[in-house]
Amino acid sequence: MSETNCPKARKPKGFRDSFALQSLERQEMIATICNVYSKFGFDQLETSCIEYVDALGKFLPDQDQPDAGVFALKDDLDDQWLALRYDLTAPLARVVAEFGDDLPTPFRRYQYGPVWRREIKPSKDRFREFFQCDFDTVGCETMAADAEVCLVLSEVMRALGIDEFVIRVNNRKVLNGLMASLEITEPAVRLGILRTLDKLDDIRIEGVKQQLGPGRTDKSGSWNEGLHLPDSSINRVVEFLQCKMPTRRETCDAFLEFAAGSPDGVEGVNELKSIEQYLEVSDVAQEFVNFDPSLVRGLEYYTGPVFEIELPFEVKVKGKPKKFGSVAGGGRYDYLVERFTGKKVPATGASIGVDRLLAALSLLQKTKSEASLGPVVVTMMDKEQGLEYQKIVNELRDAGIRSELYLGDRKFKAQMKYADKRNSPVVIIAGSNEFEDGTVTLKNMFLGKALSQEVEDNQAWRKGQPAQSTVKREDLVQSVTDIINQVDLETQHNQA
Amino acid sequence: MSETNCPKARKPKGFRDSFALQSLERQEMIATICNVYSKFGFDQLETSCIEYVDALGKFLPDQDQPDAGVFALKDDLDDQWLALRYDLTAPLARVVAEFGDDLPTPFRRYQYGPVWRREIKPSKDRFREFFQCDFDTVGCETMAADAEVCLVLSEVMRALGIDEFVIRVNNRKVLNGLMASLEITEPAVRLGILRTLDKLDDIRIEGVKQQLGPGRTDKSGSWNEGLHLPDSSINRVVEFLQCKMPTRRETCDAFLEFAAGSPDGVEGVNELKSIEQYLEVSDVAQEFVNFDPSLVRGLEYYTGPVFEIELPFEVKVKGKPKKFGSVAGGGRYDYLVERFTGKKVPATGASIGVDRLLAALSLLQKTKSEASLGPVVVTMMDKEQGLEYQKIVNELRDAGIRSELYLGDRKFKAQMKYADKRNSPVVIIAGSNEFEDGTVTLKNMFLGKALSQEVEDNQAWRKGQPAQSTVKREDLVQSVTDIINQVDLETQHNQA
């Protein structure tokens, strides 16, 4: 086969591969998150990746990209359209509608898995396949469930070792109360106001005023036409944003004063008050959960409390410092199951953006490194002695030590390079000398990392380098274990 | 919204959902398997679920269903066809071809994940989405790697607690030697002979003779036209099948006598001999790994040794006893990466059929039950006391006990039924009496399972049933822990 006729080996745009450590770090993070979900009583659910398009519905959360759709195809089996799920909530709704009577009520599930969106412009921040990790309680009206969302998210952050986080909470009913008090009914204007609130952190109060008024020039220099609201309305929105007080209780009081005229608004504030009571008995500090008038999230989706985890540590974006930002979001939604059954089923929960959170952990150097050690590599200096090397690797594995025989056909030096690439803690070396003497030579790869670059031939390995030691064959397992424990200690020390 | 206009909540044909325990059992099985893979030095790899169709190629292993294809769609992003992966080997080939120079050589990876096949007739044994768990060593010629495949598979079986299994091993070169000695070159006839060998277990030697000769009537009563080979050829095939001896060594000797005239056959036998040496120094008993002339597998795919794990325990199929059969398969393949690079890259490995193996574990009652306990449920007898109940659940969680507040809006009896449905080990009950006395009442749900059906009102719970105990509030955590440990012990006892 000539190379020119071959297909090019490449993955499609917007997709990724994860190798070794990267893949394990994600897996360990997911396990930590799911353990917290489980501890709070949620049960695991796995749904099929493919659903009927009509069952998925068209609820893509990102309203700014109405064209960005799903991966869909028409199936010849029953002449219906199938699609890859775009989130884990639509399949949950399908499951609840399909199996409702057989499920416990409330139905409390967590789910982890990939979701797919047919992004038109995939980029390094916007993939077409990514991972979510959700938990939801379906069939519950009590605000204890919404408070629990905050408790779960806090516990997840703590379990991952993240000390600095803010769970922002708002209530769509309070926002509806604001709209009512502004006497604004036109959906496009409402949407415009909500979007402006959502940008408070970026554009500050001055930017909000401009955006609600004549308009503003953004960072890129483009003009954003404003909403041209009257000054009285603009002032009212600004007052609303100033409801954010040092404590959740005070914020509730400020909200209540503000929302007094709107039944919807009052109900929303009472819901937040109820959440606050549950947070208080659970000793949740204001520092970690606060009520925030500028939080909007999921414009058409949520009907009550909404949540977002924000990581406030700074990263450089195009050279400028910026908050790392949101890693999870959620809220209360009452209408998801209704599309199937005609019945309103109240539900609340949240979704963690796995890739975003993993990126944050990585920046904070909080990814777990337990699995970071490569295998012990038993080199094959003398191919004729393959079976003797096999005995060595068997012994190591029997002792529970991650290890492998070098299975390639390269020379000794390449074998050492291989072990280096695999992040091997110890390499086992044995040639005729060792076999005669009943010994093996061990190389501590971490100690010897600098030296290993200089070695040019087999003989150099024999000259008693500091990273190397020759031990009795029967002391093999103990000596390897000692080096690995030492390497582990050093790794821990370096991380501390 | 009227119910009649609603889409029907159902998953597509050939797809599945996994709930709670079922999902955890699979996850635990996968973790056990991947731990073994890791211990043998393999690193985890995760590839995207979607690939370019030309990169996947058309290598669907099941040759009996050439029409059964992949889920594919044309992508408007770059006007190319995309498809869901149908196995984990094709993406491995793409990764090796794409990143070859940056990867360690040999490249040793394991991967777990769903794969998709567009089955025309999905059934309860043939799904359109299912899970595989593979390990492969790419870039290795030594038979030590093929022997290792047997070691890994044995260790996986042991780690899962399966005592009775057979890893069948054959070599495609030995089969080629048979064909050479029969002087058969026509591909269709070769294929017919291999398929007949593959059926030995079902149709026995008599059936093989008939199928290679005039033909035979199968179990369903249908006539299967035979291959009409001359008697001399039929006898030779029968002789070949009789090469299976009590030990691997003897089988090799018998093979060698048989294959003496064919260079390909001799090479195949020498490979098996080499594997045998590695198995011998690793103390692998004949009982668990044997060389089997009737094993065929992957007709166009494999080029050397082939492997299959067979579970010999019997299950009833349509009332008749039958071996449970194959749960994993693999072999050596040299041409997979060549489609991209034009270069031959030798590789060997195996794939475990996750769903088949889980079904076997379930029949053998070997699924792990560690995660089988539901959460402790803190009931809400008195809605006004929600915050007090929250304190209770917080205490339990702080002590690491899986627990939840009942978050629905149903009456007490329904709350008990909910706890029952969740497989809750302990239910916490507190009403005005308890709050006044500074106590809580615990119900041991396993002890009380029979009784719980009869209870008609709240009062019955107060009458000091044997499964119930009232303890001091400060003894809550200890008392709950005691009951859970007791339940765990009983579960273990019942399983032993």
Side-chain angles (χ1 to χ4, degrees), chain B residues 221-240:
Chain B
S222 307
W223 176 252
N224 287 273
E225 189 61 27
L227 291 166
H228 300 284
L229 299 187
D231 281 352
S232 61
S233 297
I234 295 175
N235 289 338
R236 188 140 182 90
V237 172
V238 170
E239 276 171 39
F240 177 72

Side-chain angles (χ1 to χ4, degrees), chain A residues 20 215 306 321 352 426:
Chain A
V306 287
I352 291 180
V426 184

Side-chain angles (χ1 to χ4, degrees), chain B residues 292-412:
Chain B
D292 188 333
S294 73
L295 180 68
V296 177
R297 286 205 80 88
L299 296 170
E300 291 176 15
Y301 199 75
Y302 295 117
T303 51
V306 287
F307 315 98
E308 180 173 292
I309 306 182
E310 186 183 80
L311 300 186
F313 74 88
E314 284 190 347
V315 286
K316 291 261 166 100
V317 176
K318 291 177 186 167
K320 288 183 183 161
K322 200 173 180 261
K323 276 185 193 172
F324 185 85
S326 167
V327 292
R332 180 168 276 273
Y333 50 96
D334 290 343
Y335 298 105
L336 208 65
V337 181
E338 192 188 34
R339 3 185 344 261
F340 293 109
T341 61
K343 283 175 209 143
K344 186 177 149 185
V345 178
T348 188
S351 175
I352 291 180
V354 168
D355 301 280
R356 284 280 296 165
L357 184 54
L358 189 61
L361 281 181
S362 178
L363 287 168
L364 294 168
Q365 298 187 293
K366 298 276 187 189
T367 48
K368 295 215 176 151
S369 61
E370 284 156 27
S372 65
L373 281 190
V376 172
V377 171
V378 179
T379 54
M380 284 243 210
M381 189 180 274
D382 177 0
K383 290 267 151 75
E384 300 297 307
Q385 298 286 347
L387 298 176
E388 294 305 314
Y389 297 120
Q390 180 69 45
K391 285 181 194 166
I392 292 175
V393 82
N394 286 345
E395 267 181 50
L396 293 170
R397 285 173 184 158
D398 285 348
I401 297 169
R402 185 175 191 223
S403 48
E404 65 175 46
L405 200 56
Y406 174 77
L407 291 171
D409 57 1
R410 305 219 182 148
K411 298 230 168 98
F412 184 74

Side-chain angles (χ1 to χ4, degrees), chain A residues 149-313:
Chain A
V149 173
C150 300
L151 298 180
V152 170
L153 293 177
S154 302
E155 179 91 3
V156 165
M157 291 296 105
R158 264 189 291 270
L160 293 171
I162 298 179
D163 313 314
E164 210 191 345
F165 64 89
V166 181
I167 299 171
R168 302 165 67 203
V169 181
N170 198 2
N171 193 319
R172 289 303 310 270
K173 290 175 184 168
V174 172
L175 292 171
N176 292 344
L178 169 68
M179 295 302 165
S181 81
L182 294 173
E183 292 176 353
I184 288 170
T185 50
E186 206 187 315
V189 180
R190 285 184 158 222
L191 202 65
I193 295 173
L194 292 175
R195 285 206 175 135
T196 307
L197 292 182
D198 204 30
K199 289 195 187 119
L200 172 65
D201 205 49
D202 262 351
I203 65 177
R204 305 284 151 184
I205 209 81
E206 270 318 300
V208 169
K209 281 182 190 171
Q210 291 163 358
Q211 192 65 47
L212 297 177
R216 57 183 282 278
T217 307
D218 68 18
K219 281 174 194 164
S220 71
S222 309
W223 175 253
N224 288 274
E225 190 61 28
L227 291 166
H228 299 284
L229 299 186
D231 281 353
S232 60
S233 297
I234 295 175
N235 289 337
R236 190 141 180 89
V237 172
V238 170
E239 278 171 37
F240 176 73
L241 288 174
Q242 284 161 351
C243 288
K244 186 168 177 184
M245 297 287 166
T247 68
R248 294 186 296 256
R249 260 176 201 273
E250 289 168 288
T251 304
C252 283
D253 292 342
F255 271 153
L256 195 57
E257 209 167 299
F258 196 91
S262 147
D264 216 14
V266 172
E267 191 176 314
V269 177
N270 286 336
E271 289 179 0
L272 288 176
K273 275 188 172 170
S274 178
I275 291 174
E276 160 58 11
Q277 290 179 316
Y278 279 94
L279 295 178
E280 217 170 74
V281 298
S282 306
D283 293 326
V284 177
Q286 166 76 17
E287 180 190 354
F288 295 119
V289 180
N290 59 44
F291 292 166
D292 188 332
S294 73
L295 180 69
V296 176
R297 286 206 79 88
L299 295 169
E300 292 176 14
Y301 198 75
Y302 295 116
T303 51
V306 287
F307 315 98
E308 181 172 292
I309 306 183
E310 187 183 79
L311 300 186
F313 74 88

